[in-house]
Amino acid sequence: MSFKVHDIFRTVSNFLFSSVNREFLIFLFFLFLSGIFWLQMTLNETYEKEILVPLKIVNVPQNSVLTSSEVDTLRVTLRDKGMALLPYLFSGSVKPVSANFKAYVRGNDYGVISNGELKSMISQDLAASTKIMSVKPERLEFFFNNGVSKRVPIRWSGRVIPEHLYFISGVEYAPDSVTVYAPKDKLDSIVVAYTETLNYANFRDTLSIDCGFRKIEGVKFQPERLKVTFFTDVLSEVGFDGVPIQGINLPEGKTLRLFPAKVRVNFVTGVNVYRQLKPTDFVVVADYNELLSNPSEKCNIYLRKVPHGISRATLAVKQVDYLIEEQGATTKEPDTKKP
């Protein structure tokens, strides 16, 4: 075994220190040495670099609720020699900044940290030679209230379109409502919480999305995230025969008789929705007041109500024959005289 190791070592040594490879090793040595000099000269130049510094609002009173983010990220541009900037870029030597809540409150529901104050807090962790060129945002605003809140329903926003011949048959939110914290004037104007913009297309199975809420300055939603589930179904063109026609606005003692008394309704819906429908879920009406003001041989009928999940609902006929009965008397038109 020792003989083999010795042979391998001698072979490698002969290869490395042969006349050709010796020149190559000398070249690599001077290349490495020149690289060190180049790096030293480069790092001795002055640069401007941007770093990210987290800022957190601390010591918030128990009776106050921050309605803006508790942690914001500051974009800080530093100027110094390259050697001094390296620790900021790679070792994270700039610590997160903490701002005392009470020190920056400016009103009943908001606080402001000026640009000078931000620079002063950040500079505490910087070397004496490092200069802060800019801080973005230039000043930081935060909002709070004294626990005033209300519960509102949730609605999705954006573009969610399933594949051709499919449609969204239902939407489920978990949770189905959210607690909103905001200054009173904003809180009064919020009646529904919208999700962040959703953009999904060409799906056919149930789609579940974890998302947040549309951001509103000075408004906090609790919880901050939710799950939205879109249920799909296959579109079908179907219809119902025998939907009854109802007379409306009839005075006491009068009866409106329609021929036929029932009509067909055509519509588009999903297979699962169709199985749960019945003719009485639709409301078709004939208006006595219309006959009174515009007597005619035919009575117009209208589709006034359709169940949820129905689209493109239409009546098979728009007019039907009619009779108006009053205390045993039958007439074709309302008992009114035209001047």
Side-chain angles (χ1 to χ4, degrees), residues 87-104:
Y88 306 137
L89 297 174
F90 300 107
S91 66
S93 61
V94 180
K95 300 177 182 178
V97 176
S98 297
N100 193 331
F101 175 87
K102 292 182 179 180
Y104 302 103

Side-chain angles (χ1 to χ4, degrees), residues 65-68 70 179-182 216 218-222 224:
V65 177
L66 282 176
T67 56
S68 54
E70 292 183 2
T179 302
V180 183
Y181 295 90
I216 305 174
V219 176
K220 180 179 181 179
F221 298 100
Q222 190 63 37
E224 296 181 351

Side-chain angles (χ1 to χ4, degrees), residues 276-296:
Q276 302 174 15
L277 294 176
K278 53 185 181 295
T280 52
D281 292 332
F282 298 84
V283 176
V284 181
V285 300
D287 193 348
Y288 175 82
N289 287 341
E290 181 180 342
L291 292 173
L292 193 65
S293 58
N294 298 293
S296 63

Side-chain angles (χ1 to χ4, degrees), residues 88-156:
Y88 306 137
L89 297 174
F90 300 107
S91 66
S93 61
V94 180
K95 300 177 182 178
V97 176
S98 297
N100 193 331
F101 175 87
K102 292 182 179 180
Y104 302 103
V105 171
R106 297 293 183 268
N108 294 327
D109 55 17
Y110 78 100
V112 178
I113 307 176
S114 68
N115 189 265
E117 291 168 327
L118 291 173
K119 288 182 177 180
S120 176
M121 288 187 285
I122 297 169
S123 63
Q124 295 177 10
D125 290 323
L126 302 180
S129 62
T130 304
K131 183 178 181 180
I132 300 176
M133 302 304 296
S134 67
V135 178
K136 297 179 181 178
E138 293 187 354
R139 69 173 193 165
L140 185 69
E141 293 183 333
F142 60 91
F143 298 87
F144 63 93
N145 71 8
N146 295 321
V148 180
S149 65
K150 70 177 181 181
R151 198 84 176 169
V152 297
I154 302 170
R155 296 291 181 269
W156 68 274

